[in-house]
Amino acid sequence: MPKDSNGNILNEGDTVQVIKDLKIKGTSGTLKRGTKIKNIRLTSKANEVECRIGKSTIVLKTQFLKKI
């Protein structure tokens, strides 16, 4: 089961918040601290979740997320 930075279990469709500024590989953009992300999707890896930012889908490590 994937867990956020505080140890809370993450489920399909949860809303999370980014706890650290993250550079997005392959683009010049940065995901700012405090950004809310809705409707996450779980992946086969326990420490990663998939989410949509704008029109692109990215994979984020759960250690940088906080469940809201």
Side-chain angles (χ1 to χ4, degrees):
M1 290 298 287
K3 295 184 178 180
D4 71 357
S5 60
N6 295 328
N8 299 318
I9 294 175
L10 296 173
N11 298 308
E12 199 76 32
D14 279 348
T15 300
V16 293
Q17 190 172 20
V18 179
I19 62 168
K20 177 183 173 185
D21 286 358
L22 300 173
K23 291 186 179 182
I24 302 172
K25 286 186 180 177
T27 68
S28 59
T30 303
L31 202 54
K32 295 290 184 184
R33 179 177 172 229
T35 303
K36 290 183 183 177
I37 302 168
K38 298 179 182 178
N39 295 327
I40 63 168
R41 288 186 301 269
L42 304 180
T43 63
S44 57
K45 296 182 181 179
N47 65 339
E48 294 179 350
V49 294
E50 218 175 60
C51 58
R52 289 190 57 85
I53 303 292
K55 294 181 179 177
S56 58
T57 302
I58 61 171
V59 176
L60 295 174
K61 300 241 182 217
T62 56
Q63 66 195 29
F64 301 119
L65 303 175
K66 177 175 77 172
K67 187 173 180 177
I68 297 177

